[in-house]
């Protein structure tokens, strides 16, 4: 291949990009509890991948296997082109990991935490100081750099955590619930940081409980449930898996609710909440025709809301439900 082609810089993440992470049939059990029961993943280089799942689904376990902290019981995993089982050292030099629980040492300062990481990565004293200063600046921690990390707020600790992860200039980073416990502003700041990493060409593997986070950041999302990938795709693809949106009419008067239900017929009614649901894709054209229809039937609801399916709906539909219902969605 001519070198000009090889060095062509495009935003990674397309299906054609080489895989930064790939697994086939990954398995892991603790005692008689099967945590991962055959996980297949392919994450293109330069993309953001989000692993979603309820508590105990195996998100952290997956991250630990891929970052060589624990061994799988079966299956294969390659990270940065290296097998995690046979070339763990090579994998480690290519990755950075920010664990679910902070790796920050509270007894020493933010700067000292950074310099410790620089030492671990065998940077020279000078190079270490330069890298630490740069990253502290980038994560808005310069002012706090000389204070003990135990005095940092949760958001500052999380930023320091990620800054420490970046000391070795990893091409693939694993972020296990990077924004859990952060307030909305800190969460948005963290999203910005993650987006900037991706702009630099870094591949990001994140786990999250926040569907909105996956929606905002991830090129592709996998939902982990019961040891398996219950669904995988873009946020749009996942939303399309579940029943579509609807317009909901709410009444305060039971007889108005009753007569509207009779007049409209093809709607789902809920007599407890005095609501009616009309299937709708939520487009302006559909809304107009629904409003015209209600007008011509002489119906006046007390409240009208448009509901478009979001990832929360996908999450609830795919995780923790009955096998039958999950099967129906596959
Ligand atoms: N070292 C261990 N020994 C025994 N069981 C373990 C161990 N580590 C994890 N488990 C079990 O494996 C399952 C998956 O745990 P894991 O931490 O991967 O879940 P998770 O998806 O990260 O959950 P959370 O959202 O709460 O972080 C859980 O049932 C957990 O109790
Ligand atoms: Mg976890």
């Amino acid at each position: 291949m001519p070198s000009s082609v090889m060095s062509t810089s495009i935003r990674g993440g397309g299906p054609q990009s080489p895989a930064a992470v790939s697994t086939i049939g990954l398995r892991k059990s603790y005692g008689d509890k099967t945590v991962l029961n055959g996980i297949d993943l392919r994450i293109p280089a330069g993309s953001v991948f989000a692993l979603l799942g309820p508590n105990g689904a195996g998100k952290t376990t997956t991250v630990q296997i891929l970052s060589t902290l624990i061994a799988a019981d079966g299956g294969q995993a390659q990270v940065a082109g290296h097998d995690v089982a046979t070339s763990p050292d090579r994998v480690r030099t290519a990755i950075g990991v920010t664990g679910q629980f902070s790796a920050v040492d509270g007894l020493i300062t933010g700067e000292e935490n950074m310099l410790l990481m620089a030492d671990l990565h065998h940077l020279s004293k000078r190079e270490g100081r330069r890298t630490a200063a740069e990253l502290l600046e980038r994560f808005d921690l310069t002012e706090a750099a000389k204070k003990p990390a135990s005095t940092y707020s949760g958001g500052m600790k999380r930023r320091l955590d990620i800054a420490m992860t970046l000391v070795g200039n990893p091409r693939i980073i694993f972020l296990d619930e990077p924004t859990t416990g952060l307030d909305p502003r800190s969460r948005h700041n963290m999203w910005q940081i993650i987006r900037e990493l991706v702009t630099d060409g870094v591949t990001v593997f994140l786990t999250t409980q926040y569907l909105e986070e996956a929606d905002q950041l991830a090129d592709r999302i996998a939902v982990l449930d019961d040891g398996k990938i219950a669904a995988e795709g873009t946020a749009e693809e996942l939303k399309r898996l579940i029943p579509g949106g609807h317009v909901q009419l709410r009444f305060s008067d039971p007889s108005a609710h009753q007569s509207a239900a009779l007049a409209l017929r093809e709607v789902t009614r809920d007599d407890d909440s005095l609501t009616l649901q009309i299937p709708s894709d939520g487009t302006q054209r559909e809304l107009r025709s629904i409003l015209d229809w209600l007008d011509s039937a002489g119906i006046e609801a007390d409240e009208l809301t448009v509901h478009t399916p979001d990832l929360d709906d996908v999450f609830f539909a795919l995780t923790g439900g009955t096998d039958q219902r999950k099967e129906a969605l596959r």
Side-chain angles (χ1 to χ4, degrees):
M1 196 188 293
S3 62
S4 63
V5 173
M6 287 184 72
S7 63
T8 303
S9 167
I10 46 161
R11 162 84 157 83
Q16 312 305 327
S17 301
V21 175
S22 64
T23 71
I24 301 170
L26 211 57
R27 305 175 61 85
K28 178 77 187 174
S29 303
Y30 285 110
D32 54 8
K33 178 170 174 54
T34 304
V35 179
L36 301 178
N37 191 13
I39 302 292
D40 301 331
L41 295 173
R42 187 185 184 282
I43 302 167
S47 68
V48 181
F49 174 81
L51 190 60
L52 284 178
N55 290 133
K59 302 182 295 298
T60 296
T61 303
T62 306
V63 168
Q64 287 173 331
I65 293 172
L66 295 177
S67 54
T68 76
L69 292 173
I70 61 173
D73 298 336
Q76 289 173 359
Q78 288 210 327
V79 174
H82 307 294
D83 190 299
V84 294
T86 57
S87 311
D89 291 339
R90 292 193 166 175
V91 171
R92 277 179 215 142
T93 58
I95 65 170
V97 189
T98 304
Q100 183 167 2
F101 303 103
S102 179
V104 170
D105 182 342
L107 295 176
I108 57 177
T109 68
E111 187 179 44
E112 287 162 347
N113 270 286
M114 293 294 289
L115 294 174
L116 204 60
M117 287 306 285
D119 269 355
L120 286 176
H121 284 283
H122 309 296
L123 300 188
S124 69
K125 281 268 172 299
R126 210 164 130 219
E127 184 70 357
R129 261 195 225 100
R130 196 183 57 78
T131 307
E134 253 175 41
L135 285 166
L136 287 165
E137 174 75 37
R138 177 162 161 205
F139 287 86
D140 206 12
L141 289 167
T142 305
E143 220 173 284
K146 307 257 187 240
K147 295 183 186 143
S150 57
T151 64
Y152 289 13
S153 73
M156 289 162 79
K157 270 195 201 124
R158 216 56 188 137
R159 293 209 301 277
L160 180 58
D161 249 330
I162 297 197
M164 286 161 65
T165 304
L166 295 183
V167 168
N169 197 23
R171 302 315 294 154
I172 302 173
I173 65 171
F174 294 90
L175 303 172
D176 196 356
E177 300 200 22
T179 68
T180 296
L182 299 191
D183 70 30
R185 183 184 303 276
S186 305
R187 175 165 302 145
H188 279 259
N189 288 344
M190 191 59 76
W191 290 352
Q192 197 47 40
I193 288 170
I194 294 170
R195 289 198 188 100
E196 283 165 16
L197 291 174
V198 178
T199 310
D200 292 346
V202 172
T203 307
V204 177
F205 184 118
L206 67 95
T207 77
T208 181
Q209 318 256 9
Y210 300 111
L211 298 306
E212 195 204 349
E213 181 156 294
D215 209 349
Q216 284 279 334
L217 292 177
D219 296 302
R220 295 188 77 76
I221 300 167
V223 183
L224 194 57
D225 185 59
D226 211 12
K228 297 255 189 200
I229 301 290
E232 207 263 344
T234 63
E236 289 313 312
E237 284 166 356
L238 292 181
K239 288 176 197 170
R240 256 184 257 131
L241 281 178
I242 60 161
H246 59 262
V247 169
Q248 176 170 284
L249 307 177
R250 202 173 53 75
F251 299 82
S252 47
D253 174 10
S255 64
H257 175 247
Q258 165 80 1
S259 56
L262 293 174
L264 297 175
R265 284 207 301 275
E266 283 152 45
V267 298
T268 312
R269 62 186 279 181
D270 182 331
D271 291 344
D272 292 330
S273 59
L274 296 184
T275 56
L276 299 176
Q277 292 189 353
I278 305 166
S280 161
D281 60 7
T283 57
Q284 184 180 345
R285 173 197 281 221
E286 275 215 357
L287 284 181
R288 187 175 293 124
S289 82
I290 289 173
L291 290 174
D292 287 346
W293 185 37
L294 295 174
D295 278 347
S296 65
I299 290 166
E300 277 217 21
D302 294 292
E303 184 188 275
L304 181 147
T305 46
V306 179
H307 182 93
T308 45
D310 59 20
L311 277 181
D312 281 340
D313 298 318
V314 178
F315 191 81
F316 288 127
L318 289 170
T319 64
T322 63
D323 286 346
Q324 253 174 340
R325 200 179 51 170
K326 283 188 270 186
E327 206 47 55
L329 288 167
R330 268 174 208 157

